[in-house]
Amino acid sequence: MSHHDNIIFQARPGGRLQGRVRVPGDKSISHRAIMLGALAEGTTTVTGFLEGEDSLATLQAFRDMGVDIDGPDAGRVVIHGVGMRGLRAPSAPLDLGNSGTAMRLMCGLLAGQGFDTTLVGDASLSSRPMKRVTDPLAQMGAVIDTTAGGTAPLRITGGKPLHGIDYRLPVASAQIKSCILLAGLYAEGRTCVTEPAPTRDHTERMLAGFGYRVERDGAIVCVEGGGSLRACDIDVPADISSAAFFMVGASIAEGSDITLEHVGINPTRTGIIEILRQMGADIEILDQTEVGGEPVADIRVRSSRLHGIEIPEALVPLAIDEFPVLFVAAACAEGTTVLRGAEELRVKESDRIQVMADGLAALGVDATATPDGMVIRGGRAYAGGRIDSHGDHRIAMAFAIAALRAGGDITIDDCANVNTSFPNFLELAGMAGLAVSQVAS
Ligand code: S3P
């Protein structure tokens, strides 16, 4: 699909969310399943794979490096692993579209290969900071060129011997951590990463699932280079970051009662639940089990009267992708909500602080952007209006949810990238009770 088309969503005001919904597979886990499955010895079967553009870009990139992959077929992907040294040089640059996760994780993994690669992406990805990964990789011995501004295209020179490092992350980022650990698999000796605050640990869990030894001691995680991966089967849970739209929607729309099925509730991802509960949300965790080393549950959410809070900074990395829709919750909550310590939001698929502040202002919500967060005085009625999502999937979906409490239609421009993470959003949201549709551009 062309990202130059202006896909427009229109959401009608009012409604409530009901029923049982299974949102698509976790994006973070889907990327990692392709990467580790490709490098494993043996055949890895993935179910629940996210058939969104981001994880499909990763899948295509590994095909371009000679990996045989069947599917996806209704979320089922079969990866015929080539082993740690089995990738082949691609014949052209690898296009990772909109996906920061694909680019940063693959940069680490490819730094250790015997061949050169070039990683490219769309306009948004080509403006995101990459020095945060290329600097530590250079310390390991990698040779990677960026633009003068430290952005993609990334030109990775293969055949450079890597050695382990002890790296303290300057920002709490699972992408940087994962990038270094993946490079560490190819490095001589031990590679250790220290996190300033806990971030999602899917890489560590999945490496262990593939039989690779990962040592964790408090904030430090280490791998020893030179090992191998054993194929295994992966059941990808539903993405809590996609479920988040329905969790907020059900909370703010009176009369709602929705159950989100088989959602991944890894404790490094559940900041959304904790923050909403602190705001007074009614959220029940049901039928908790574990699939492939990841905790999973059904999540039941009923509407409630939300109130503003000061969001604890420790929860920021645990809810980092959920702030666009949390700001909508804050707009509906009685009183003031304050977010601090979230400057990372400015370097996501868009500047999520500025773009959300502009969008909320267009609806008449009293929201003030700050350098590292937002102050929202909520609880007053807000209008409909026209929003520019700046091509950011989560901004587009957040404003569709905002319609549940708006005084008029909300029209959202530049929604094509909803397909990166949640390709059937319109259909599932419509079934649950949100009157949202695509209108002619
Ligand atoms: C991700 C880590 C986070 C998150 C992104 C997915 C991952 O990025 O925002 O959507 O899969 O590791 P940062 O590491 O930049 O915080």
Side-chain angles (χ1 to χ4, degrees):
M1 113 138 352
S2 161
H3 288 260
H4 303 292
D5 296 342
N6 179 20
I7 302 290
I8 301 170
F9 285 1
Q10 187 161 37
R12 300 212 175 284
R16 57 188 175 171
L17 301 185
Q18 288 180 311
R20 300 181 69 85
V21 171
R22 178 158 174 168
V23 300
D26 188 276
K27 181 149 71 75
S28 293
I29 297 175
S30 294
H31 282 297
R32 288 159 170 82
I34 297 289
M35 294 178 196
L36 298 192
L39 296 174
E41 275 151 37
T43 302
T44 291
T45 301
V46 185
T47 48
F49 180 76
L50 168 65
E51 294 182 43
E53 288 173 2
D54 275 11
S55 38
L56 290 172
T58 292
L59 187 154
Q60 184 58 44
F62 280 87
R63 276 190 179 138
D64 292 346
M65 291 187 286
V67 183
D68 235 337
I69 304 176
D70 310 328
D73 179 10
R76 188 167 185 274
V77 176
V78 179
I79 309 160
H80 302 278
V82 296
M84 295 298 288
R85 293 283 166 199
L87 296 178
R88 291 202 306 265
S91 58
L94 300 174
D95 186 350
L96 303 173
N98 193 240
S99 179
T101 304
M103 186 168 281
R104 296 202 179 106
L105 270 58
M106 287 179 62
C107 185
L109 198 154
L110 294 172
Q113 305 299 321
F115 51 83
D116 298 351
T117 33
T118 299
L119 305 182
V120 298
D122 69 6
S124 156
L125 183 54
S126 302
S127 69
R128 296 179 66 185
M130 293 296 151
K131 285 280 184 211
R132 51 175 60 196
V133 289
T134 58
D135 282 349
L137 291 173
Q139 289 178 28
M140 298 176 79
V143 175
I144 304 169
D145 284 335
T146 66
T147 65
T151 56
L154 302 183
R155 293 197 168 76
I156 304 166
T157 304
K160 301 287 174 192
L162 304 184
H163 53 83
I165 54 168
D166 215 326
Y167 193 70
R168 178 173 288 274
L169 294 181
V171 286
S173 160
Q175 291 181 357
I176 310 177
K177 171 178 66 175
S178 301
C179 166
I180 297 168
L181 292 176
L182 292 174
L185 304 183
Y186 289 93
E188 176 83 43
R190 201 174 158 77
T191 298
C192 295
V193 181
T194 305
E195 307 187 88
T199 67
R200 66 190 68 193
D201 63 358
H202 304 301
T203 301
E204 298 93 301
R205 285 175 188 249
M206 201 182 287
L207 279 171
F210 277 86
Y212 208 101
R213 190 175 154 81
V214 178
E215 285 169 73
R216 161 75 70 174
D217 179 10
I220 308 174
V221 52
C222 302
V223 294
E224 190 82 40
S228 60
L229 300 168
R230 241 185 0 256
C232 67
D233 291 342
I234 296 173
D235 174 6
V236 182
D239 198 328
I240 190 168
S241 296
S242 296
F245 298 104
F246 294 88
M247 293 169 63
V248 169
S251 296
I252 65 175
E254 212 182 316
S256 295
D257 181 354
I258 197 164
T259 300
L260 300 153
E261 296 175 338
H262 204 68
V263 180
I265 53 162
N266 179 317
T268 59
R269 296 287 298 281
T270 47
I272 173 77
I273 295 176
E274 181 57 30
I275 292 167
L276 283 175
R277 279 185 170 155
Q278 288 191 17
M279 296 174 80
D282 178 356
I283 302 176
E284 265 184 281
I285 307 293
L286 305 165
D287 297 330
Q288 190 173 334
T289 55
E290 192 161 303
V291 294
E294 293 278 352
V296 174
D298 290 347
I299 301 179
R300 182 174 182 185
V301 186
R302 280 171 277 198
S303 45
S304 57
R305 223 175 263 287
L306 300 182
H307 54 83
I309 60 165
E310 294 218 3
I311 298 173
E313 282 192 39
L315 292 177
V316 169
L318 311 182
I320 192 67
D321 292 336
E322 284 64 79
F323 286 104
V325 79
L326 276 169
F327 294 153
V328 171
C332 297
E334 206 61 49
T336 303
T337 294
V338 181
L339 173 68
R340 295 190 192 88
E343 50 279 289
E344 274 295 299
L345 293 179
R346 292 199 178 271
V347 292
K348 293 296 179 187
E349 287 84 327
S350 70
D351 175 346
R352 287 183 173 161
I353 292 176
Q354 196 55 51
V355 174
M356 283 304 299
D358 292 346
L360 290 169
L363 304 181
V365 175
D366 183 350
T368 309
T370 62
D372 66 341
M374 186 100 82
V375 179
I376 298 175
R377 282 161 287 268
R380 282 184 288 263
Y382 57 82
R386 188 152 192 145
I387 306 292
D388 184 350
S389 77
H390 286 260
D392 185 325
H393 55 137
R394 300 201 196 282
I395 304 261
M397 291 185 276
F399 280 106
I401 291 297
L404 290 162
R405 285 277 290 269
D409 286 4
I410 297 185
T411 304
I412 309 156
D413 282 311
D414 208 358
C415 295
N417 283 334
V418 168
N419 284 323
T420 62
S421 67
F422 201 155
N424 58 347
F425 173 72
L426 289 178
E427 191 188 326
L428 288 190
M431 275 166 36
L434 178 69
V436 59
S437 56
Q438 188 179 319
V439 294
S441 49

